Each structure stands twice: as structure tokens, then as C-alpha cells.
Amino acid sequence: MTVAPGDIGAIDIEENAGTDRLTLRVCGNDAVGHARLVATLDNLGKGAGGAAVQNLNIMAGVDPVAGLVF
């Protein structure tokens, strides 16, 4: 996880692409008493891609948890 400064004009949504990194930014407006938290995370490997790999392991006869052939 990275905590980055929140005082930038725009956030690049691809800054964490291809990683398992989470970036947090906090910025505020003292005049009105507001705070904003922005998080960017690339979690594609944990969704459909991860399920596809598990299905391939099962079809190949490999235990998807232990990595053992059964």
C-alpha cells in the first residue's frame, strides 16, 4: 500500500496497472470542512482471471489449492 499526496489535479487510474498495489490519497478543503479519500487498486488478477486459472488447474487434474496432481 502507498499513501500518496492528494493535492494533485488528476489521478492516473492506470498507475497501479499490473500490480497488486493499493494507493490511497487524502485531501481536504479547510474552508468548508470536507475531506476526500481516493483509492486506486488493480484487482483484475483476483477476479475472472483468477477463476480461469483455477478452472484450468482443475481440468488439468491439479489441485488448485495445494498444486498437487490427484
Side-chain angles (χ1 to χ4, degrees):
M1 177 178 70
T2 303
V3 178
D7 58 353
I8 61 174
I11 296 173
D12 179 17
I13 62 170
E14 299 209 4
E15 69 183 348
N16 292 336
T19 70
D20 288 331
R21 194 173 60 217
L22 169 72
T23 302
L24 296 175
R25 286 189 172 75
V26 180
C27 55
N29 184 332
D30 290 334
V32 293
H34 289 175
R36 179 176 292 155
L37 172 67
V38 178
T40 54
L41 170 68
D42 179 9
N43 67 346
L44 289 178
K46 297 172 185 70
V53 170
Q54 282 190 335
N55 287 334
L56 287 172
N57 284 338
I58 291 169
M59 290 177 8
V62 178
D63 182 348
V65 177
L68 303 173
V69 176
F70 51 82

